[in-house]
Amino acid sequence: MQNKKFIVILIILSLVFGFSGAILGIKLYPSIFPTTQNIETTTAKVSTSEEKAVINTVKKVSPAVVSVILTKDVPVFEEYWSSPYQFLPEYRQKGTKEQQVGGGTGFIISSDGMILTNKHVVSTEGVDYTVVLSDGKKYSAEILARDPSQDIAVLKIKAKNLTTVKLGDSDKIQVGQSVIAIGYALGEFQNTVSVGVVSGIGRTITAGNLTSAQTEELQELIQTDAAINSGNSGGPLLNLSGEVIGINTAMASGAENIGFSIPINSIKNAISEVEKTGKISYPFLGVNHTIINDTIKKEQNLSVNYGALVIKDNNGIAVVSGSAAEKAGLRENDIILEINGKKITEKNTLSKVILSYKVGDKIKLKVLRNGKQIFLGVTLQEKQ
């Protein structure tokens, strides 16, 4: 019996000393034994920091984000009875009323009222376009230019001292970085904010809409999971510094949180052209090509794994007749390795490099032809 009591006492003493040691260890070395309270506090601080960045960006940029409303006069009918013996009433037009038939988003790029939006937002004929600022003020909008290549357009309103956005550098975008989209969601909820990340870069899609049979291929797009709903088109995609890095243009049908934005760097020259000439024009080389990678190199038995290989399209055309490329002497199976020392790669595509120049610019191409490197001078023409 005494032995049993002795064993019980030993167990109790072990538990007491063990518990005391654990408490002492936590007090002396809190970093080794983090408490629930410490973990929650750290998480809260990170969350608060991210929230502050988003809130500050939205406050700074929202005054420069506008709603673009499409309206037209529609007939109004009234019911009347031409005879007391009728079973059903007749209807006659008694006038017209203005009705909203669409909507999109834009953002102010100059204090005197220049606004950037999507081309498809302002492509409807026979309607009036009204710009609504974040403070509710309304202005009639004039369409200055529609882009022939990309889904962008420039509007103008008669106003002064407007808040403008700051354009960022879309070449510095990284997959996974946080982004913010602001727009006129569903053509109903003005300046709706959604937050996400950059999901991918350099995407190519074929874009269209339910009201038109027309489609167009858009290249070098930013993919994001920030919600881009109908009506968000033309709105800004922002980094956490409040800089515009893209213009929201499309969402993937049948998918959740897959949206696309045009990189702002590919638009900067267009904005400059509108300011100077009142229209949007793009430089044009005039070749059909495919970007070389390890797979293309192996399939075509090439000696290089980068560059743009000049090939025929479905119509059998490799070099466009009368183009800058033809005048420079480019041929089928030529490989354009560099433009002014810039190497052509999957990330730095031929189209992307050409768009960094202007109509009339002279460039030098480094070309691989039949295993030999040659240099060709080209004067870029305007894309028709």
Side-chain angles (χ1 to χ4, degrees):
M1 191 70 178
Q2 289 180 346
N3 288 337
K4 288 184 179 180
K5 288 182 179 180
F6 181 71
I7 292 171
V8 171
I9 291 169
L10 283 178
I11 292 172
I12 293 170
L13 289 173
S14 298
L15 290 172
V16 170
F17 285 118
F19 184 70
S20 301
I23 293 174
L24 183 62
I26 290 172
K27 294 290 185 180
L28 293 177
Y29 303 101
S31 61
I32 299 176
F33 303 95
T35 64
T36 303
Q37 184 178 1
N38 288 337
I39 294 171
E40 289 177 350
T41 301
T42 303
T43 304
K45 286 181 180 178
V46 172
S47 177
T48 301
S49 175
E50 292 177 354
E51 286 174 357
K52 282 182 178 178
V54 173
I55 290 168
N56 290 338
T57 294
V58 172
K59 283 182 178 179
K60 180 169 68 173
V61 178
S62 284
V65 180
V66 305
S67 300
V68 181
I69 297 175
L70 288 63
T71 58
K72 68 182 300 183
D73 289 334
V74 297
V76 178
F77 296 91
E78 66 177 355
E79 176 185 303
Y80 76 101
W81 299 82
S82 58
S83 166
Y85 305 106
Q86 286 178 243
F87 290 102
L88 295 172
E90 296 181 29
Y91 295 89
R92 60 188 173 196
Q93 185 174 340
K94 69 172 185 177
T96 61
K97 69 173 182 179
E98 189 178 66
Q99 180 173 304
Q100 182 173 338
V101 293
T105 310
F107 50 93
I108 303 168
I109 55 177
S110 72
S111 60
D112 62 349
M114 277 182 58
I115 294 166
L116 192 63
T117 187
N118 281 144
K119 178 173 63 179
H120 75 260
V121 169
V122 292
S123 61
T124 305
E125 300 295 334
V127 300
D128 296 319
Y129 294 99
T130 302
V131 165
V132 183
L133 304 188
S134 61
D135 62 5
K137 292 180 181 178
K138 297 182 179 181
Y139 296 87
S140 178
E142 171 194 1
I143 300 172
L144 286 187
R146 294 186 180 98
D147 194 313
S149 300
Q150 300 193 87
D151 188 18
I152 65 169
V154 179
L155 308 180
K156 184 72 168 62
I157 61 175
K158 293 181 179 180
K160 295 180 179 180
N161 302 318
L162 298 174
T163 301
T164 62
V165 297
K166 181 179 180 181
L167 304 184
D169 185 355
S170 55
D171 287 343
K172 294 181 179 178
I173 293 173
Q174 297 185 57
V175 174
Q177 79 174 72
S178 297
V179 289
I180 304 166
I182 304 179
Y184 187 35
L186 305 178
E188 183 177 357
F189 305 107
Q190 189 173 17
N191 279 26
T192 296
V193 177
S194 57
V195 179
V197 298
V198 173
S199 306
I201 55 178
R203 304 301 199 203
T204 298
I205 65 169
T206 299
N209 59 60
L210 298 175
T211 60
S212 172
Q214 294 182 339
T215 60
E216 61 181 327
E217 185 177 84
L218 301 175
Q219 300 178 343
E220 301 294 334
L221 301 183
I222 304 164
Q223 181 187 335
T224 177
D225 67 348
I228 298 176
N229 298 293
S230 174
N232 280 80
S233 293
L237 186 71
L238 306 155
N239 59 26
L240 293 187
S241 297
E243 299 169 332
V244 177
I245 55 174
I247 174 170
N248 300 322
T249 192
M251 57 183 176
S253 177
E256 290 187 9
N257 298 333
I258 299 180
F260 300 94
S261 303
I262 302 169
I264 199 65
N265 283 11
S266 67
I267 303 171
K268 288 177 179 177
N269 279 345
I271 295 171
S272 178
E273 286 291 314
V274 173
E275 291 174 336
K276 292 178 182 177
T277 67
K279 68 174 186 176
I280 298 174
S281 59
Y282 281 103
F284 182 61
L285 181 59
V287 294
N288 187 62
H289 68 280
T290 185
I291 297 297
I292 299 171
N293 53 26
D294 289 334
T295 302
I296 299 295
K297 176 189 176 182
K298 186 175 180 180
E299 289 177 353
Q300 300 291 329
N301 193 27
L302 303 174
S303 60
V304 293
N305 61 354
Y306 71 96
L309 175 64
V310 180
I311 59 173
K312 289 181 179 178
D313 62 12
N314 293 333
N315 297 317
I317 298 173
V319 180
V320 177
S321 177
S323 67
E326 185 185 58
K327 292 175 181 177
L330 278 168
R331 306 173 189 171
E332 183 184 359
N333 295 322
D334 281 350
I335 299 175
I336 303 171
L337 300 173
E338 297 178 3
I339 296 179
N340 286 354
K342 299 175 184 176
K343 187 179 286 189
I344 304 302
T345 64
E346 285 186 296
K347 188 174 182 180
N348 204 42
T349 63
L350 180 65
S351 300
K352 183 176 180 179
V353 174
I354 291 296
L355 282 175
S356 68
Y357 294 97
K358 297 180 180 179
V359 176
D361 282 351
K362 295 181 179 181
I363 59 175
K364 183 179 285 188
L365 308 183
K366 183 179 180 180
V367 177
L368 186 64
R369 176 181 292 170
N370 298 325
K372 295 182 180 180
Q373 290 185 5
I374 62 173
F375 291 90
L376 301 174
V378 178
T379 301
L380 294 173
Q381 297 176 343
E382 181 177 352
K383 185 173 184 179
Q384 302 299 320

